[in-house]
Amino acid sequence: MKQQQAGTMSTMSKEMQDCIDACMTAHRLCEETMSHCMQKGGQAQMQVMRALMDCADMTRTCADMMMRGSDMMTQMCRMCAEACSMCAEACSSMPDDPQLTRCAEACRRCADLCGAMA
């Protein structure tokens, strides 16, 4: 099983590495955007904060599972794509904020790549 798993990982290594990178970028931007929203105070909507928290956790976990070749990686990529899409949508609700716009873009990219991995 380990040989088969390693072979699969090396075959998909570029695609998987791009997805891992996208997950880590989305994770970092979600974390930064949470701080940004907290500094803004009452302007940040709870829906946006929840989406950021969910996405930050999901992207980190998804990247971890891909890096270790987890058997649950495909299911996690599917869930991560959904969390990233929801976060991108929530961040897009404040289009005048450049930080939220950057976060939405990173989350959309991650959703696309995770969706392809799933």
Side-chain angles (χ1 to χ4, degrees):
M1 180 84 172
K2 287 187 182 205
Q3 283 181 332
Q4 190 177 29
Q5 199 172 24
T8 301
M9 289 176 70
S10 65
T11 304
M12 295 177 28
S13 63
K14 171 77 172 110
E15 179 183 53
M16 189 177 298
Q17 187 58 53
D18 288 348
C19 190
I20 290 167
D21 291 345
C23 282
M24 296 309 294
T25 298
H27 172 74
R28 179 180 51 79
L29 278 164
C30 285
E31 292 284 340
E32 289 173 4
T33 304
M34 280 188 276
S35 275
H36 171 77
C37 288
M38 286 189 279
Q39 289 172 3
K40 285 177 73 170
Q43 290 179 306
Q45 299 173 0
M46 281 310 294
Q47 178 186 3
V48 173
M49 289 299 288
R50 276 193 300 271
L52 287 165
M53 287 185 259
D54 289 349
C55 191
D57 288 345
M58 203 55 104
T59 51
R60 184 188 63 236
T61 301
C62 189
D64 289 347
M65 291 178 92
M66 283 189 283
M67 286 188 276
R68 69 175 171 259
S70 170
D71 290 339
M72 297 182 67
M73 173 175 69
T74 301
Q75 294 92 330
M76 181 54 70
C77 283
R78 189 173 296 113
M79 290 174 57
C80 187
E82 186 176 338
C84 286
S85 292
M86 291 173 69
C87 189
E89 186 177 322
C91 287
S92 295
S93 71
M94 296 186 205
D96 296 335
D97 189 312
Q99 178 66 37
L100 279 112
T101 300
R102 279 192 300 278
C103 188
E105 289 167 1
C107 289
R108 277 189 203 96
R109 182 173 193 287
C110 189
D112 291 344
L113 291 172
C114 281
M117 289 295 296

